[in-house]
Amino acid sequence: MQDVISGKYRLSKTENFDAFLSEIGLGYIKRMLAQSTSPEITITRDGDRWTMVTSSALSTSQIEFALGEEFPEARQDGVSVTSCVAADGNTWTQTQKPGDGRDVTIVREFGEKELRVTSTIGSVTANRVYERI
């Protein structure tokens, strides 16, 4: 799994991200700022621990986790959540539980040349594609 997953990715395509950000409660200005950047994601592995760093011109966030174990996460929108990442082959499914019942599901599908990310809250889904760099 590590050979396909570990690496560095840059955003290349996005769809419905504004609606997703609005649904999680981000205001107009923050949504416009979030959409004005092309974030990069770097994923590394050390034994059974994974690190995922997301960086853009606006901010950098980092999570460290073991697959299948819950961990605290401060989302980039400032909301504290309990997260868990489960793996099924080259697909990771992350569930973020903020405590208000409005869970977010993020599915990451890793391929040799790209990472496809589908983020869902309620009935709103955003799709983003990152190219391996």
Side-chain angles (χ1 to χ4, degrees):
M1 216 172 20
Q2 182 178 6
D3 294 337
V4 175
I5 294 173
S6 293
K8 193 169 189 176
Y9 305 86
R10 180 177 298 127
L11 180 67
S12 63
K13 189 160 110 177
T14 187
E15 175 184 290
N16 209 37
F17 196 53
D18 183 62
F20 174 80
L21 294 175
S22 178
E23 190 68 19
I24 65 170
L26 235 55
Y28 177 77
I29 302 270
K30 288 185 178 181
R31 290 196 325 263
M32 293 304 104
L33 286 171
Q35 294 179 86
S36 69
T37 65
S38 292
E40 291 184 355
I41 298 174
T42 303
I43 300 174
T44 57
R45 181 180 185 181
D46 183 10
D48 66 346
R49 305 284 305 166
W50 293 89
T51 301
M52 183 164 40
V53 177
T54 303
S55 59
S56 71
L58 298 175
S59 67
T60 298
S61 68
Q62 177 175 314
I63 59 173
E64 296 178 19
F65 59 93
L67 294 171
E69 293 181 9
E70 288 188 345
F71 61 95
E73 178 183 3
R75 278 193 327 215
Q76 287 187 319
D77 63 353
V79 174
S80 295
V81 299
T82 299
S83 279
C84 186
V85 180
D88 181 10
N90 293 335
T91 300
W92 282 357
T93 301
Q94 179 178 1
T95 304
Q96 296 177 330
K97 298 181 182 235
D100 64 2
R102 297 189 40 88
D103 296 357
V104 173
T105 301
I106 304 166
V107 178
R108 296 177 178 90
E109 300 174 73
F110 296 90
E112 289 186 29
K113 295 182 180 181
E114 66 184 21
L115 162 61
R116 294 185 167 274
V117 180
T118 304
S119 303
T120 303
I121 181 170
S123 63
V124 178
T125 298
N127 297 295
R128 302 186 102 190
V129 177
Y130 295 79
E131 292 179 355
R132 187 180 290 273
I133 52 176

